[in-house]
Amino acid sequence: MIMIMLGAQGTGKGTVAGLISEKIGIPQISTGDIFRKNINEKTPLGIEADKYISKGNLVPDDITVPMVEEVLSSEEAKNGAILDGFPRTIEQAEKLDKILEAKGKKVDMVINLVTPKEELIDRMLTRRVCSNQNCKTIYNIKLHPPIKEGVCDKCGALLKQREDDSDPEAIKRRLEIYEEKTSPLVEYYKNKGVLKSETVSISINRMGKDVAKEIVETLK
């Protein structure tokens, strides 16, 4: 199964994808995690990607698409994958369709998460992530804090704030880019009949874990 997570930054795509991955046994592939790992390790890909990410801009297709194609061709993804952070434009969606078609696969489900804008900004400013690259569990110091402040519940590693989550202006820029470039994907996948939109907001007491649970139930 090929599943795609849509939604602006801060909606909880990574959390929902991780929970579904755990339950149905296909890998979560986060382009953001791949980029951050390469940036931290100062690889050629990381250095190039950081030029765009640090300014809140999208990484160009000639960097992103081959990276995703390589991961989808790996042994890890032979039974499917949950794509988190890709595609982000119609052009990327069309390229993904061609990549999957060549493998005899297709996009089976697209989960679109929707959250009010002001809530998104606050969520990103208060988001923390495990510094252990093999764990990467996500927390929120307001909504989902760790048991011990600054320490991951799962592995005991220190939590950190992503560099691109610390600047309110960069966050607003990312949300503007999402509206401009990525939101048209909602119509694209709606027309293909594979879209499932879900509201995630503290105002209605519905969080990512609730969405993930319902999705897993529908797949049984």
Side-chain angles (χ1 to χ4, degrees):
M1 166 173 275
I2 300 294
M3 189 182 294
I4 292 172
M5 299 299 308
L6 284 185
Q9 296 89 340
T11 52
K13 297 189 300 295
T15 298
V16 174
L19 290 169
I20 296 173
S21 170
E22 199 175 285
K23 293 294 184 182
I24 68 174
I26 61 174
Q28 171 192 4
I29 297 172
S30 166
T31 52
D33 283 347
I34 295 171
F35 284 138
R36 280 186 286 273
K37 182 176 185 293
N38 280 274
I39 289 169
N40 289 337
E41 296 175 357
K42 293 182 168 50
T43 67
L45 170 64
I47 292 169
E48 197 61 30
D50 192 41
K51 295 176 184 177
Y52 301 91
I53 293 172
S54 62
K55 296 177 182 176
N57 296 323
L58 289 180
V59 180
D61 287 2
D62 59 353
I63 298 174
T64 307
V65 176
M67 179 186 75
V68 172
E69 184 171 12
E70 181 180 352
V71 176
L72 287 174
S73 300
S74 67
E75 181 68 17
E76 178 190 23
K78 67 178 182 180
N79 294 321
I82 304 171
L83 294 175
D84 170 13
F86 184 92
R88 289 195 171 182
T89 64
I90 297 294
E91 292 77 11
Q92 287 184 354
E94 291 171 343
K95 289 173 181 177
L96 176 62
D97 286 342
K98 290 179 181 178
I99 290 169
L100 293 174
E101 186 179 354
K103 300 177 184 300
K105 298 180 180 179
K106 62 180 176 61
V107 173
D108 298 292
M109 182 184 290
V110 178
I111 303 169
N112 177 45
L113 302 182
V114 181
T115 301
K117 184 176 180 180
E118 290 308 310
E119 190 174 331
L120 289 178
I121 294 172
D122 186 61
R123 279 193 193 187
M124 282 186 274
L125 289 171
T126 54
R127 180 165 58 184
R128 301 293 184 269
V129 62
C130 178
S131 57
N132 178 359
Q133 286 297 309
N134 294 319
C135 178
K136 296 180 293 190
T137 300
I138 298 170
Y139 297 86
N140 185 289
I141 57 177
K142 286 185 178 180
L143 302 175
H144 173 46
I147 295 171
K148 183 179 179 181
E149 185 178 349
V151 178
C152 179
D153 296 344
K154 292 186 177 180
C155 72
L158 294 178
L159 302 182
K160 65 178 182 179
Q161 184 177 38
R162 293 172 181 166
E163 192 172 332
D164 54 348
D165 281 348
S166 61
D167 182 352
E169 290 306 312
I171 290 173
K172 288 178 183 177
R173 172 65 180 150
R174 285 154 63 193
L175 293 175
E176 287 169 3
I177 290 175
Y178 176 79
E179 286 301 323
E180 177 188 346
K181 298 284 189 180
T182 311
S183 59
L185 285 172
V186 172
E187 282 301 309
Y188 181 84
Y189 286 117
K190 184 178 180 180
N191 291 336
K192 285 180 174 288
V194 294
L195 184 77
K196 185 175 179 62
S197 286
E198 299 283 355
T199 298
V200 178
S201 173
I202 194 169
S203 65
I204 59 171
N205 196 29
R206 181 169 169 77
M207 306 308 290
K209 62 181 180 180
D210 303 309
V211 173
K213 184 178 179 180
E214 287 185 13
I215 298 296
V216 169
E217 286 296 320
T218 66
L219 296 174
K220 286 183 178 178

